[in-house]
Amino acid sequence: MRARRDVLAEGRARRAWLRHPAQLVVAGFLVAILAGTLLLMLPLARSGPGGTGFLTALFHATSAVCVTGLVTVDTPVYWSTFGEVLILALIQVGGFGIMTLASLLAMLVWRRLGLRSRMTAAVETKAIGIGEVRTVIRGVLVITVVIELLTATLLTFRFALAYDEGWGRAAYLGVFHAVSAFNNAGFALYSDSLIGFVDDPWVCLPIALAVIAGGLGFPVWLELIRHGAVWRAWSLHTTMTVSTTVVLLVVGTVFVTANEWGNPGTLGSLDTPGRILAGFFHSVMPRTAGFNAIDYAQARDGTLLGTSALMFIGGGSAGTAGGIKITTFVLLFWVIWAEARGERDVEVHGRRIDDRAIRQALTVALLGVGAVMTATLALVEMTDHALDLVLFEAVSAFATVGLSAGITDDLPAAGQLILIGLMFLGRLGPITLVSALALRERGRLYRLPEGRPLIG
């Protein structure tokens, strides 16, 4: 009898584990990374003789599935066409999966939290309807295909007409970079990324716009399609995401352009339109794409630090961008603003923010800071690289950006494993953490006496 009870308890525990959305997301991405690793280890995936080592394959499979773009080998040289197509497939699977699963989790969390105060008992068994799931998946698919197709078409014509590529090769380059851009992956089929196109608006602008589109997130696109530019009809999430994206793009463009204007190693050799284009491009990429049209190893320390801040913030929720997300950053700003003004409530665009959302934002941001600082300390101790370069690399991995100052392939095996962990944590950590916190929200029948420790 006891053995039977143990078996039943184990079965219930297994079913409960499988029902938890956050755990399903993690398990799904682990399977995708493992499958990608095994396929990249095949001799067919490498252009040279022999197969790829496990660590190299694991690093690039994680970077592709988590749509990061950090690499330890030269993508167009090391990998065969099969390997490149495989990486492209992993990017597409990772990006589509992130947008779909994040949107479904957001919907689940919203419904659970929205109904709880009115129907507590019903909420515990509430699930997303099949029709809604199909709507989300279909919407993400349509948006993905349309934006990637438009971007690929523009790039194909540019590569064919301006760079003397055959139409087949031009189409391949166009599709690869369009998929990599929309999914904010940053993988390129040029050894210097996009440095050769630094002053070409017909290459840089389509890629930059695709990065912005992927970073906004499906919930924002859904509202933009429904309501267009009627911003008064937008939800608080869309208003915060769009407005802050515009502000960060403008501030980032001014900052990068001004800081690197006279640097001959980056923007100094370009004419004025080229410098402005490059400044805008490198304001977009930290959002978190990872393409670079300048050599970050030649960038000034201030640019590296400012870019690290932009990378850490990232893009919109339920999109392909990484970082702590725009809404987290904006919410924390308004928390500070309310506290500085002595306000009791945190109010944003005419709405009072729930205390649970504030706690979740603080949790995501502080855990992100802790992860980056811990990884940076470990990398500094095990390498001879300067602190600013190591911090840049750690933030890039956690925020799933893919920008690098050229030290990725110089890191020891332990350092690469740290970056792998950061990429996985940065991609799935905020999604799973917030959904787990929200779905575990429960009320108490009592409250402890209030305590007020000294702060500051």
Tab-separated table of all heavy atoms in Angstrom, residues 26 28 34 38 41 45 58 74 84 110 139 162 169 174 177 179 202-203 218 234 277 281 283 285 321 403 411 432 438:
chain	number	residue	atom	x	y	z
A	26	VAL	N	11.376	26.159	-20.262
A	26	VAL	CA	12.778	25.808	-20.039
A	26	VAL	C	13.102	24.461	-20.667
A	26	VAL	O	14.117	24.304	-21.359
A	26	VAL	CB	13.099	25.789	-18.533
A	26	VAL	CG1	14.507	25.250	-18.292
A	26	VAL	CG2	12.973	27.194	-17.949
A	28	GLY	N	11.589	22.921	-23.124
A	28	GLY	CA	11.548	22.996	-24.578
A	28	GLY	C	12.811	23.600	-25.161
A	28	GLY	O	13.360	23.097	-26.146
A	34	LEU	N	20.034	21.149	-27.135
A	34	LEU	CA	20.707	19.853	-27.208
A	34	LEU	C	20.662	19.293	-28.626
A	34	LEU	O	21.684	18.812	-29.151
A	34	LEU	CB	20.053	18.866	-26.235
A	34	LEU	CG	20.633	17.444	-26.224
A	34	LEU	CD1	22.119	17.467	-25.880
A	34	LEU	CD2	19.870	16.553	-25.260
A	38	LEU	N	24.016	18.633	-31.085
A	38	LEU	CA	24.344	17.352	-31.720
A	38	LEU	C	24.450	17.499	-33.236
A	38	LEU	O	25.338	16.913	-33.868
A	38	LEU	CB	23.293	16.310	-31.353
A	38	LEU	CG	23.208	15.933	-29.867
A	38	LEU	CD1	22.071	14.945	-29.625
A	38	LEU	CD2	24.534	15.348	-29.377
A	41	MET	N	27.643	19.241	-34.331
A	41	MET	CA	28.833	18.408	-34.157
A	41	MET	C	29.071	17.492	-35.362
A	41	MET	O	30.157	16.910	-35.476
A	41	MET	CB	28.705	17.572	-32.883
A	41	MET	CG	28.748	18.385	-31.595
A	41	MET	SD	28.483	17.380	-30.107
A	41	MET	CE	29.975	16.356	-30.136
A	45	ALA	N	28.313	19.742	-40.886
A	45	ALA	CA	28.048	21.128	-40.514
A	45	ALA	C	29.289	22.005	-40.571
A	45	ALA	O	29.186	23.226	-40.510
A	45	ALA	CB	27.446	21.185	-39.112
A	58	LEU	N	27.944	23.478	-28.568
A	58	LEU	CA	27.015	23.898	-27.518
A	58	LEU	C	26.918	25.416	-27.452
A	58	LEU	O	25.824	25.978	-27.319
A	58	LEU	CB	27.462	23.339	-26.171
A	58	LEU	CG	26.653	23.788	-24.944
A	58	LEU	CD1	25.211	23.299	-25.052
A	58	LEU	CD2	27.307	23.284	-23.660
A	74	ASP	N	34.557	31.957	-36.724
A	74	ASP	CA	34.099	32.814	-37.821
A	74	ASP	C	32.973	32.106	-38.571
A	74	ASP	O	33.200	31.108	-39.261
A	74	ASP	CB	35.281	33.110	-38.754
A	74	ASP	CG	34.954	34.177	-39.783
A	74	ASP	OD1	33.767	34.509	-39.936
A	74	ASP	OD2	35.898	34.673	-40.429
A	84	GLU	N	25.386	26.685	-41.669
A	84	GLU	CA	24.767	28.011	-41.662
A	84	GLU	C	23.243	27.910	-41.682
A	84	GLU	O	22.555	28.626	-40.946
A	84	GLU	CB	25.260	28.814	-42.872
A	84	GLU	CG	26.739	29.172	-42.829
A	84	GLU	CD	27.228	29.796	-44.118
A	84	GLU	OE1	26.398	29.915	-45.075
A	84	GLU	OE2	28.402	30.180	-44.193
A	110	TRP	N	-2.049	37.331	-17.322
A	110	TRP	CA	-3.028	38.413	-17.307
A	110	TRP	C	-4.409	37.907	-16.899
A	110	TRP	O	-5.108	38.514	-16.102
A	110	TRP	CB	-3.097	39.051	-18.684
A	110	TRP	CG	-4.102	40.169	-18.767
A	110	TRP	CD1	-3.952	41.457	-18.374
A	110	TRP	CD2	-5.442	40.052	-19.262
A	110	TRP	NE1	-5.098	42.163	-18.604
A	110	TRP	CE2	-6.041	41.328	-19.148
A	110	TRP	CE3	-6.190	39.007	-19.796
A	110	TRP	CZ2	-7.344	41.578	-19.537
A	110	TRP	CZ3	-7.488	39.260	-20.187
A	110	TRP	CH2	-8.047	40.529	-20.054
A	139	GLY	N	-0.994	34.889	-35.222
A	139	GLY	CA	-0.546	36.276	-35.270
A	139	GLY	C	0.958	36.407	-35.284
A	139	GLY	O	1.526	37.179	-36.067
A	162	ALA	N	23.959	46.129	-56.079
A	162	ALA	CA	25.043	47.024	-55.670
A	162	ALA	C	26.342	46.295	-55.358
A	162	ALA	O	27.412	46.920	-55.347
A	162	ALA	CB	24.611	47.841	-54.448
A	169	ARG	N	22.731	33.760	-54.575
A	169	ARG	CA	23.526	34.123	-53.399
A	169	ARG	C	22.941	35.340	-52.691
A	169	ARG	O	22.902	35.394	-51.451
A	169	ARG	CB	24.965	34.416	-53.843
A	169	ARG	CG	25.898	34.912	-52.742
A	169	ARG	CD	26.133	33.866	-51.690
A	169	ARG	NE	27.065	34.346	-50.662
A	169	ARG	CZ	27.360	33.681	-49.541
A	169	ARG	NH1	26.803	32.489	-49.321
A	169	ARG	NH2	28.199	34.177	-48.667
A	174	GLY	N	20.133	37.683	-48.187
A	174	GLY	CA	18.997	38.482	-47.742
A	174	GLY	C	18.141	37.762	-46.726
A	174	GLY	O	17.765	38.333	-45.687
A	177	HIS	N	20.120	37.258	-43.233
A	177	HIS	CA	20.256	38.457	-42.407
A	177	HIS	C	18.890	39.013	-41.997
A	177	HIS	O	18.781	39.635	-40.927
A	177	HIS	CB	21.079	39.514	-43.145
A	177	HIS	CG	22.522	39.134	-43.298
A	177	HIS	ND1	22.999	38.482	-44.411
A	177	HIS	CD2	23.584	39.305	-42.475
A	177	HIS	CE1	24.299	38.270	-44.269
A	177	HIS	NE2	24.682	38.764	-43.108
A	179	VAL	N	16.185	37.107	-41.256
A	179	VAL	CA	15.767	36.253	-40.146
A	179	VAL	C	16.593	36.570	-38.904
A	179	VAL	O	16.062	36.686	-37.785
A	179	VAL	CB	15.905	34.765	-40.522
A	179	VAL	CG1	15.662	33.871	-39.310
A	179	VAL	CG2	14.940	34.412	-41.641
A	202	TRP	N	20.837	51.287	-47.460
A	202	TRP	CA	19.977	50.252	-48.018
A	202	TRP	C	20.225	48.880	-47.413
A	202	TRP	O	19.438	47.956	-47.626
A	202	TRP	CB	20.140	50.206	-49.533
A	202	TRP	CG	19.630	51.436	-50.200
A	202	TRP	CD1	20.363	52.487	-50.663
A	202	TRP	CD2	18.262	51.757	-50.447
A	202	TRP	NE1	19.536	53.445	-51.191
A	202	TRP	CE2	18.235	53.024	-51.083
A	202	TRP	CE3	17.050	51.098	-50.209
A	202	TRP	CZ2	17.047	53.641	-51.461
A	202	TRP	CZ3	15.864	51.717	-50.601
A	202	TRP	CH2	15.876	52.966	-51.211
A	203	VAL	N	21.306	48.755	-46.665
A	203	VAL	CA	21.562	47.535	-45.897
A	203	VAL	C	21.299	47.781	-44.415
A	203	VAL	O	20.604	47.001	-43.755
A	203	VAL	CB	23.007	47.038	-46.109
A	203	VAL	CG1	23.317	45.872	-45.162
A	203	VAL	CG2	23.212	46.592	-47.551
A	218	PHE	N	5.043	40.844	-29.721
A	218	PHE	CA	3.762	40.564	-30.372
A	218	PHE	C	2.604	41.340	-29.749
A	218	PHE	O	1.751	41.850	-30.496
A	218	PHE	CB	3.479	39.060	-30.323
A	218	PHE	CG	2.107	38.702	-30.816
A	218	PHE	CD1	1.797	38.786	-32.164
A	218	PHE	CD2	1.112	38.301	-29.935
A	218	PHE	CE1	0.531	38.466	-32.626
A	218	PHE	CE2	-0.150	37.986	-30.386
A	218	PHE	CZ	-0.443	38.066	-31.734
A	234	TRP	N	-4.284	52.785	-27.020
A	234	TRP	CA	-3.271	51.803	-26.663
A	234	TRP	C	-3.368	51.438	-25.184
A	234	TRP	O	-3.788	52.249	-24.351
A	234	TRP	CB	-1.872	52.357	-26.932
A	234	TRP	CG	-1.557	52.568	-28.368
A	234	TRP	CD1	-2.306	52.216	-29.454
A	234	TRP	CD2	-0.393	53.226	-28.893
A	234	TRP	NE1	-1.691	52.587	-30.620
A	234	TRP	CE2	-0.507	53.206	-30.308
A	234	TRP	CE3	0.737	53.798	-28.324
A	234	TRP	CZ2	0.468	53.757	-31.135
A	234	TRP	CZ3	1.701	54.345	-29.140
A	234	TRP	CH2	1.571	54.323	-30.536
A	277	LEU	N	24.207	57.800	-39.652
A	277	LEU	CA	23.648	56.472	-39.918
A	277	LEU	C	24.264	55.428	-38.993
A	277	LEU	O	23.550	54.606	-38.401
A	277	LEU	CB	23.890	56.082	-41.381
A	277	LEU	CG	23.479	54.660	-41.773
A	277	LEU	CD1	21.979	54.469	-41.622
A	277	LEU	CD2	23.915	54.347	-43.214
A	281	PHE	N	22.432	53.208	-36.178
A	281	PHE	CA	22.526	51.747	-36.272
A	281	PHE	C	23.011	51.150	-34.958
A	281	PHE	O	22.482	50.140	-34.491
A	281	PHE	CB	23.484	51.380	-37.408
A	281	PHE	CG	23.519	49.914	-37.734
A	281	PHE	CD1	22.517	49.329	-38.489
A	281	PHE	CD2	24.560	49.114	-37.284
A	281	PHE	CE1	22.544	47.972	-38.793
A	281	PHE	CE2	24.596	47.762	-37.584
A	281	PHE	CZ	23.590	47.188	-38.344
A	283	SER	N	22.734	52.506	-32.092
A	283	SER	CA	21.758	52.733	-31.034
A	283	SER	C	20.687	51.654	-31.059
A	283	SER	O	20.126	51.298	-30.024
A	283	SER	CB	21.112	54.111	-31.204
A	283	SER	OG	20.075	54.318	-30.266
A	285	MET	N	21.219	48.412	-32.335
A	285	MET	CA	21.745	47.064	-32.121
A	285	MET	C	21.777	46.615	-30.656
A	285	MET	O	21.511	45.435	-30.372
A	285	MET	CB	23.151	46.948	-32.724
A	285	MET	CG	23.165	46.990	-34.247
A	285	MET	SD	22.029	45.806	-35.015
A	285	MET	CE	20.815	46.911	-35.750
A	321	ALA	N	13.719	40.502	-28.303
A	321	ALA	CA	14.793	41.219	-27.623
A	321	ALA	C	15.038	40.647	-26.239
A	321	ALA	O	14.188	39.972	-25.663
A	321	ALA	CB	14.452	42.707	-27.528
A	403	LEU	N	26.822	41.551	-29.200
A	403	LEU	CA	27.928	42.460	-29.460
A	403	LEU	C	29.152	42.027	-28.660
A	403	LEU	O	29.029	41.525	-27.545
A	403	LEU	CB	27.545	43.893	-29.087
A	403	LEU	CG	26.455	44.551	-29.929
A	403	LEU	CD1	26.125	45.937	-29.382
A	403	LEU	CD2	26.864	44.642	-31.391
A	411	LEU	N	38.372	33.513	-24.536
A	411	LEU	CA	38.013	33.059	-23.196
A	411	LEU	C	38.308	31.571	-23.042
A	411	LEU	O	38.152	30.799	-23.987
A	411	LEU	CB	36.527	33.313	-22.931
A	411	LEU	CG	36.070	34.779	-22.907
A	411	LEU	CD1	34.563	34.842	-22.707
A	411	LEU	CD2	36.787	35.556	-21.815
A	432	THR	N	10.420	33.176	-17.435
A	432	THR	CA	9.998	32.126	-16.505
A	432	THR	C	9.844	32.662	-15.096
A	432	THR	O	8.945	32.262	-14.361
A	432	THR	CB	11.012	30.971	-16.513
A	432	THR	OG1	12.321	31.478	-16.212
A	432	THR	CG2	11.059	30.313	-17.870
A	438	ALA	N	4.058	35.398	-10.826
A	438	ALA	CA	2.670	35.839	-10.978
A	438	ALA	C	1.692	34.691	-10.761
A	438	ALA	O	0.660	34.854	-10.110
A	438	ALA	CB	2.470	36.439	-12.366
